[in-house]
Amino acid sequence: MSAKNPRNQYLRTDRMPHIWCPGCGLGTAVNCFISAIQADETPLDEISVVSGIGCTGRVAGYLKLDSFHTTHGRPIPFATGLKLANPKMKVVVFSGDGDLFAIGGNHFIHAARRNMNLTIICVNNFTYGMTGGQVTPSTPIDAISSTTPYGNIEEPFNLPFLADCSGAVYVARWTAFHVRQAARSMREAINKTGFSFVEIISPCPTLYGRRNKMGDGLKMMEAFRDSSVIMNGADTRNVELDFRGKVICGKFVDREKTSYLDMYNTKMAERFGPFYEPYEGVK
Ligand code: SF4
């Protein structure tokens, strides 16, 4: 990689080349995230990234931040501990649909319910890429995977609705085609006080696209472009994804609610009065 690449300061270039396949949307998602923190001018020692396991789980290893590649399904509890220990740190979980919503599904709904001060970025490629293309909780009905060779028969989660009804204060969805909107949403989510969620629909041409005859990464991106409809403020109950159907994108939820750390401050101040030193400036 060129030393003049302005993104290099955010990347562990000694880890390159990365493991991702040609046409994978993960590089685009990481690029959007770098744009978000660059625009935000967040000092790099005030933001940390936590990933679980899987293709998206590798993100933490490639970002030159305080980043943590944790165990399968557990980035949210890990990030919660990190935030509680260092409340001024902006803590971002960057992981995949299988990691966050199957193995880690329970952690997701409870962190959202608590309105824990975290940002969750989920790269949703509808499959477990790293382990061979199995069905995940977000695989659309009828989609082929290595474990649903005749088509998936399980109702998938509608991720924005799950985040919304679990208590998230910020919810957005974009595809890897919508780079500017995705970067803007990531920036807004990082600066939102409480639990924020951004879903990025991303091509996995190697295991999902190939099985479902969707072509290479470029063809999948063209399909996202042609099938997406931007509906900011849409009711999250109505943004479920169909196999080969339209993809409703936008910022769906942006509301105010007392965050976990604000609640904690209030309680501790009530209990200990002037002896309690509150966390301040916490997002
Ligand atoms: Fe990307 Fe899929 Fe390859 Fe994983 S298997 S790196 S998700 S294209």
Side-chain angles (χ1 to χ4, degrees), residues 19-26 55 125 127 129-130 203-208:
I19 64 159
W20 296 322
C21 309
C24 179
L26 275 162
C55 294
N125 52 28
T127 196
M130 187 170 275
C204 168
T206 305
L207 288 163
Y208 184 80

Side-chain angles (χ1 to χ4, degrees), residues 133-277:
Q134 294 87 349
V135 73
T136 75
S138 68
T139 309
I141 286 187
D142 291 336
I144 308 286
S145 73
S146 63
T147 47
T148 59
Y150 306 114
N152 180 32
I153 56 169
E154 298 177 9
E155 189 72 41
F157 279 142
N158 168 354
L159 301 184
F161 178 53
L162 183 64
D164 182 7
C165 68
S166 299
V169 289
Y170 183 98
V171 180
R173 172 199 280 152
W174 299 103
T175 77
F177 177 77
H178 299 92
V179 288
R180 288 199 176 81
Q181 295 94 328
R184 193 181 316 125
S185 273
M186 288 179 188
R187 185 179 177 195
E188 287 178 357
I190 290 166
N191 286 297
K192 185 78 184 173
T193 301
F195 190 90
S196 52
F197 176 67
V198 180
E199 178 186 15
I200 305 293
I201 308 287
S202 174
C204 168
T206 305
L207 288 163
Y208 184 80
R210 182 171 51 85
R211 278 202 176 88
N212 288 289
K213 302 194 175 4
M214 299 172 94
D216 60 11
L218 182 59
K219 280 268 175 270
M220 291 185 79
M221 286 288 239
E222 286 171 354
F224 291 155
R225 177 196 63 195
D226 297 341
S227 63
S228 57
V229 183
I230 297 178
M231 292 177 65
N232 290 312
D235 186 328
T236 57
R237 287 174 295 187
N238 302 327
V239 303
E240 69 276 13
L241 297 169
D242 294 327
F243 187 46
R244 303 186 200 284
K246 66 183 176 190
V247 179
I248 299 174
C249 297
K251 177 166 71 171
F252 305 132
V253 175
D254 191 354
R255 62 184 162 219
E256 303 304 321
K257 204 171 73 171
T258 309
S259 73
Y260 182 89
L261 282 169
D262 286 333
M263 191 71 88
Y264 183 85
N265 272 338
T266 304
K267 274 285 163 216
M268 292 301 109
E270 278 171 16
R271 178 73 181 80
F272 297 107
F275 300 106
Y276 178 66
E277 197 177 318

